[in-house]
Each structure stands twice: as structure tokens, then as C-alpha cells.
Amino acid sequence: MRDCAWPRGTAVHSLPFFPSRSGQLITHLGSDFPPGAGVLDVMYESPSTLLSCGYDTYVRYWDLRTSARKCVMEWEEPHDSTLYCLQTDGNHLLATGSSYYGVVRLWDRRQRACLHAFPLTSTPLSSPVYCLRFTTRHLYAALSYNLHILDFQNP
């Protein structure tokens, strides 16, 4: 196993993977990120395409067949909040969980702006959305003090 040199101030908190036989470093994603632009969540869609999000408020879509140094597409969180987690339906919908006030945003990956924001807390308590999952019927979001379920069929 070889050591990887991460940029100073960068942290990786979550890393799913597709198993490989060799277990060797293939590549580094991206370059020239500012210090502190750590990745907090990664979601593979296939062995060569993935989404990432983190401290720098961006969701990035990577296609390793095209480039490992530059993402194919990116979406910026409009309120400059760290993005703790993301989830996709494998098609056009993308959901992100932010670091402030339990906000979940739904995105259409064919557009730059988010489709809808769901503030999950009405109290002054601020909690990141630590994890989320969604289907066409429901969205589940885990905050520091409870689990929220949104029903899309019976709004």
C-alpha cells in the first residue's frame, strides 16, 4: 500500500468504493482545490462515474473516462453551506443535505439552480443533515436529534 499525500487542510470523511483486485491507487480526483475543501460524501453511479460534495459547497459530477482532474459538471449550494451528504436516483434527480438548519435541496442535474429546498427544522436549533435517502415517494433525512420523513405523495 502506498501513502497518499492529501492537500494540507483537506479531510475525507466518507468513501464508498467499487472493489478492485489490485487495491492500488488509480488516480486523484481534481486539482488546485483551496485548503479546507474536503470531501464529505461520495456516491458512485457506475465504476467510472461518481458524485462528490463537501466543505467547499459544491456537488461535483466526475466521469473518470473523460478526466480525473476536472469534473464534468458542478452545482453550487446557494447559501454557502457545507454539504454533508448527497443522494441520487440514478437518473436526473439529486438531493443534498446542508450543514445549517437541516436543509435538504432537490436538484435536476440538467439545470444549475436547485428545484426545491426543504428546511426540516422550524426551531433555532441548527443541525446538519448527516445522511439522506430518497425514492419517488419519500425522502428520509437524519439530523443530530431526529429523523425526518417527507412524503411526496401526500404533501
Side-chain angles (χ1 to χ4, degrees):
M1 177 187 272
R2 291 187 284 172
D3 290 335
C4 297
W6 290 95
R8 189 172 175 203
T10 301
V12 174
H13 294 274
S14 176
L15 187 64
F17 67 95
F18 277 102
S20 69
R21 292 186 186 135
S22 65
Q24 293 184 13
L25 176 66
I26 297 170
T27 188
H28 292 276
L29 289 178
S31 59
D32 301 323
F33 291 117
V39 172
L40 292 172
D41 200 6
V42 175
M43 182 180 178
Y44 276 91
E45 292 192 310
S46 75
S48 58
T49 60
L50 62 115
L51 291 150
S52 66
C53 69
Y55 286 113
D56 68 351
T57 75
Y58 280 90
V59 174
R60 290 186 174 84
Y61 178 68
W62 304 88
D63 188 336
L64 303 178
R65 297 167 297 190
T66 305
S67 173
R69 295 292 180 206
K70 180 144 177 56
C71 65
V72 176
M73 182 94 173
E74 63 186 15
W75 299 267
E76 184 177 12
E77 206 287 330
H79 294 287
D80 201 34
S81 296
T82 296
L83 296 174
Y84 271 56
C85 55
L86 60 89
Q87 181 72 37
T88 180
D89 67 350
N91 199 11
H92 298 295
L93 281 182
L94 170 68
T96 57
S98 73
S99 61
Y100 295 116
Y101 308 111
V103 174
V104 170
R105 294 188 194 286
L106 280 181
W107 306 78
D108 182 330
R109 292 167 46 166
R110 299 166 292 187
Q111 302 175 16
R112 289 282 182 190
C114 93
L115 292 174
H116 192 74
F118 297 97
L120 301 178
T121 60
S122 59
T123 64
L125 296 173
S126 178
S127 170
V129 177
Y130 288 109
C131 183
L132 63 88
R133 298 290 182 264
F134 73 95
T135 66
T136 55
R137 296 178 178 198
H138 297 96
L139 183 139
Y140 306 89
L143 280 66
S144 61
Y145 47 88
N146 55 18
L147 176 66
H148 290 268
I149 302 171
L150 299 177
D151 186 346
F152 295 131
Q153 288 189 324
N154 301 308

